[in-house]
Amino acid sequence: MPLQAEILIIGGGLAGLTAALHLNKLGFEVALIEKSVYPHHKVCGEYISNEVLPYLNWLGIDLRNLLPTQINKLQFTSASGKQVNTSLPLGGFGISRHSIDNYLYKLAINNGVNVIHQKVDQVTFNENHFLVETTSGTSFEARYVLGAYGKRSAVDIKLERKFINQKSPYLAIKAHYRSNFPNNLVSLNSFPGGYCGVSKVENDVLNVCYLASYESFKKHKDIEAYQENVLYQNKNLKEILQEAEMIFDAPLTISQISFQQKEPVHHHILMLGDTAGLIHPLCGNGMAMAIHSAKIAAELLAKHRLNTSADRFELEKNYTLAWKRLFSKRLQAGKVLASFLKNKIVEDVAINIAAKFPAVLQKMIKYTHGKPITILDL
Ligand SMILES: Cc1cc2nc3c(=O)[nH]c(=O)nc-3n(C[C@H](O)[C@H](O)[C@H](O)COP(=O)(O)OP(=O)(O)OC[C@H]3O[C@@H](n4cnc5c(N)ncnc54)[C@H](O)[C@@H]3O)c2cc1C
């Protein structure tokens, strides 16, 4: 006999946990399935845009005790030695995923969310109900399912999502370090085949996280050789890395990162965060988008519950429209920004323009970010 849930969330990263907290606050009976135990590190730049703060406050999420750094300056450097510095209009904060995901998980548990530590294997939809099966053999029946399982999962193969068969030419590497680095700065440093984000998180820890093309990475023996031969071509990055002392035993890596278009709704599942679409990490906005997508799904589910005559298709249509209205332009701007890095000459011209005309850079930052997420439209 399958276990019953009104709403089942697959994946307990930022999108899944935020959705669980929001839906729980609205009185829904929520279950969340997460494959990993908390706390755990994640490959991520760990810079979160301040646009999420009003919404987090409304959810009763107060991150101050986690001692995040306050970040209001951005530096961009290229391998050819060009550099541009600017302020971040809205700013953000630095916090490790180890810390924030664990905090949200504990809050969800305290608030009564049912968190199950298993790995979802497949989801089927029949007669207006979902059947969700895990690799441990447990089955759940749910009226609604939210997919918040990140960039890529075996579930996507079973769901026959288009992007899963397309090329994913990037990998990403991250580690924490001790270093003298300003608390209020996020430094983005490009190198042939990728870029590296550097910023401080809580407890005076420096997070260094980079995205690299598999094509450039595979020519080198290991991570150390890759860093020395390729990342060090950017002098600023070389100085940062040589001065820093790694805290992790070894860097974390993930592969198969794809920026292919996805669908916000697939197989009647409302997709949240990276499961719906991945913005280029250069924009530093993926976590804010994950949190924001949880908000729009929770609000629409609440409206849907009130309108007993509305059917599921209306909910799906409204979620797709809201998702596209909020995030499509950002994803597009991220693609344009990332395309500049692919060509050295274009990159240098773009940096020169940005250095001469700060308003252009400010506009680009604005296009890749959202406005503060208010709760007025709840
Ligand atoms: C190199 C890099 C740097 C980045 N830097 C930044 C940055 O500085 N700022 C920013 O805002 N964004 C950044 N991002 C993007 C950001 O990390 C993501 O957008 C964000 O993590 C999305 O959150 P999520 O909840 O959608 O997914 P995730 O955080 O990936 O959570 C998904 C969860 O689902 C679980 N899961 C997966 N499969 C299953 C399954 N079958 N069953 C059960 N559970 C499952 C996973 O264990 C995981 O906990 C970066 C991304 C990359 C790749």
Side-chain angles (χ1 to χ4, degrees), residues 123-138:
V123 186
T124 45
F125 182 79
N126 207 354
E127 291 181 1
N128 214 19
H129 267 82
F130 290 94
L131 186 69
V132 176
E133 291 162 278
T134 69
T135 52
S136 331
T138 315

Side-chain angles (χ1 to χ4, degrees), residues 10-16 33-36 38 40 42-49 97 101 118-121 148-155 171-173 195 209-211 254 257 272-275 278-279 281 283-288 290:
I10 307 172
L14 289 183
I33 309 183
E34 164 58 47
K35 67 176 181 177
S36 307
Y38 299 90
H40 50 254
K42 248 179 205 170
V43 175
C44 181
E46 305 189 324
Y47 163 84
I48 309 189
S49 162
R97 296 299 298 270
D101 288 29
Q118 291 190 27
K119 184 176 176 184
V120 171
D121 182 38
Y149 48 83
K151 292 175 258 311
R152 188 183 185 89
S153 161
V155 180
L171 58 97
I173 297 177
Y195 94 98
C209 181
Y210 58 90
L211 186 78
I254 51 169
I257 300 171
L272 312 182
D274 286 358
T275 320
L278 180 62
I279 189 167
C283 305
N285 205 240
M287 289 192 277

